[in-house]
């Protein structure tokens, strides 16, 4: 706790000494300063000092000389010899200590002086914050690092692209979520004191861009069943990526695609489901790529027509260990045949696996 008044006295000579009294007259929160009045004089006791017998060499307040070189005559009792007012600026944190000194001379007794230091009441300061860095930038979030440099800081706010101020918390970092992927942002922060009566100015600004979601395209729109679906995926490393496969608008499967994985294979059971859906030897499969199980790449969703005639490419039969094998014209290898039979010849085909 600071003081609002004080006194400085010099060493006593022949029952006499010099003094400086001061009193606070005001404080400015905006200007960060205190104003004071001061009075200087002499206390003579029972003695009287005659012609040119008393001299004030100098009075210093807060490092500045405010009075000097004045000689006085016929002095007795307690007399004020000088006065004035001063503005004392506080440090950036609102605190301030300052010193006062007085030096004088008494005839036949020589020089005398005195000094003392005082601490003023602290002035509440607007908090000053500065942005340091934007880190861990994702597709819809980032981490903000800042520094509190001065002032009374209790509440934190930030704003994006000069928009409305948003309350947040955390020191020296905080996280922003709910951002839009692949978007440019400019951010500023500011602070407030505990009762929010002092609001700091907006900090310096930093700019960043969120990462993009995964986008995918399919290498071919016409595939020969059961050839796997191969995707060309961008931004796959930005977040978790999954692929949803729809069979004639019905969800068939969902798989997670790790970084570097871009192939969708079908199990035997899934192949059976696909064959069951064949209409005019074709079936439509749709693939949707999702990022963080949230953002769907709907703009580039592809519909793939599978050629249902492909099972008939096996033209050469071979018995091998009691199994029916057929030669693949493309590879030249013998493979175990999968024979499908249409059990509904009068209408839409209903395919059942015979082997």
């Amino acid at each position: 706790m600071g003081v609002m008044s004080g006194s400085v006295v010099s060493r006593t000579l022949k029952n006499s000494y010099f003094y400086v009294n001061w009193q606070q007259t005001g404080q400015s929160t905006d200007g960060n300063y205190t104003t004071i009045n001061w009075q200087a004089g002499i206390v003579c006791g029972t003695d009287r000092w005659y012609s040119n017998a008393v001299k004030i060499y100098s009075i210093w307040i807060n490092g500045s000389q405010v009075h000097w070189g004045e000689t006085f005559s016929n002095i007795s009792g307690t007399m004020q010899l000088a006065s004035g007012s001063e503005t004392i600026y506080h440090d950036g944190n609102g605190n301030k200590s300052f010193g006062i000194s007085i030096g004088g001379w008494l005839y036949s007794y020589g020089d005398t002086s005195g000094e003392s230091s005082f601490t003023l009441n602290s002035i509440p300061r607007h908090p000053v914050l500065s942005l340091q860095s934007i880190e861990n930038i994702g597709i819809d979030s980032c981490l903000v690092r800042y520094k509190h440099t001065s002032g009374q800081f209790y509440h934190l706010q930030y704003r994006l692209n000069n928009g409305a101020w948003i309350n947040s918390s955390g020191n020296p970092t905080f996280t922003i979520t709910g951002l839009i992927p692949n978007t440019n942002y400019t951010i500023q922060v500011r602070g407030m004191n505990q009762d929010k009566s002092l609001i700091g100015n907006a900090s310096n600004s930093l700019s960043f861009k969120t990462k993009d979601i995964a986008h995918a395209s399919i290498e071919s729109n016409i595939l020969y069943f059961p050839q796997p679906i191969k995707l060309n995926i961008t931004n796959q490393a930005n977040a978790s990526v999954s692929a949803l496969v729809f069979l004639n608008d019905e969800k068939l499967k969902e798989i997670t695609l790790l970084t570097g994985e871009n192939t969708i294979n079908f199990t035997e059971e899934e192949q059976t489901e696909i064959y069951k859906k064949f209409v005019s030897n074709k079936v439509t499969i749709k693939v949707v790529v999702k990022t963080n199980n949230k953002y769907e790449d709907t703009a580039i969703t592809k519909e793939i027509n599978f050629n249902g005639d492909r099972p008939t490419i096996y033209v050469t039969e071979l018995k091998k260990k009691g199994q029916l094998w057929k030669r693949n014209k493309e590879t030249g290898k013998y493979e175990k045949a999968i024979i499908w039979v249409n059990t509904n010849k009068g209408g839409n085909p209903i395919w059942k696996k015979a082997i």
Side-chain angles (χ1 to χ4, degrees), residues 69-271:
E70 188 173 3
T71 303
F72 304 92
S73 302
N74 299 318
I75 304 299
S76 63
T78 299
M79 296 189 65
Q80 179 177 307
L81 304 176
S83 64
S85 61
E86 293 296 320
T87 298
I88 300 174
Y89 286 90
H90 289 228
D91 300 331
N93 59 8
N95 299 328
K96 182 60 181 179
S97 293
F98 72 103
I100 297 179
S101 66
I102 185 170
W105 171 85
L106 296 175
Y107 180 77
S108 297
Y109 291 90
D111 297 334
T112 182
S113 63
E115 62 181 350
S116 188
S117 295
F118 307 92
T119 298
L120 297 170
N121 288 321
S122 180
I123 296 177
R125 301 307 301 137
H126 294 77
V128 178
L129 306 182
S130 62
L131 284 172
Q132 304 297 299
S133 61
I134 309 298
E135 305 170 12
N136 299 341
I137 300 173
I139 61 173
D140 56 8
S141 64
C142 68
L143 182 141
V144 181
R145 186 176 301 277
Y146 68 97
K147 183 179 181 180
H148 169 220
T149 57
S150 65
Q152 297 181 341
F153 173 51
Y154 194 85
H155 300 284
L156 172 67
Q157 291 185 322
Y158 71 91
R159 68 179 178 184
L160 299 171
N161 298 340
N162 291 318
W165 289 100
I166 302 170
N167 295 324
S168 189
S169 61
N171 188 357
T173 63
F174 65 95
T175 298
I176 301 176
T177 59
L179 301 176
I180 300 173
N182 196 33
T183 301
N184 292 308
Y185 287 98
T186 297
I187 183 173
Q188 291 176 296
V189 294
R190 72 179 183 183
M192 294 181 286
N193 64 346
Q194 187 166 7
D195 63 6
K196 300 183 179 180
S197 61
L198 296 175
I199 301 176
N201 294 326
S203 71
N204 61 309
S205 61
L206 291 179
S207 297
F208 66 97
K209 185 177 183 179
T210 50
K211 294 181 179 179
D212 199 2
I213 65 172
H215 296 285
S217 61
I218 296 169
E219 292 185 354
S220 174
N221 285 342
I222 304 297
L223 300 178
Y224 294 102
F225 190 81
Q227 179 181 344
I229 300 175
K230 289 187 177 181
L231 304 174
N232 294 317
I233 304 176
T234 60
N235 309 315
Q236 192 172 3
N238 289 349
S240 63
V241 177
S242 60
L244 282 73
V245 181
F246 293 88
L247 179 61
N248 291 348
D249 293 326
E250 295 181 10
K251 183 178 177 181
L252 177 65
K253 66 186 301 182
E254 179 174 358
I255 62 172
T256 299
L257 297 174
L258 302 177
T259 301
E261 294 182 352
N262 66 344
T263 302
I264 301 174
N265 294 295
F266 298 101
T267 65
E268 186 174 336
E269 290 76 13
E270 291 164 350
Q271 293 176 32

Side-chain angles (χ1 to χ4, degrees), residues 19-23 25 36-41 56 59 61 65-68 80-86 100 102:
Y19 70 86
V20 178
N21 296 330
W22 69 272
Q23 311 84 34
T25 57
I36 66 169
N37 287 340
W38 61 270
Q39 308 84 36
I56 295 179
I59 299 173
I61 297 178
Q65 190 174 11
V66 298
H67 191 83
W68 57 91
Q80 179 177 307
L81 304 176
S83 64
S85 61
E86 293 296 320
I100 297 179
I102 185 170

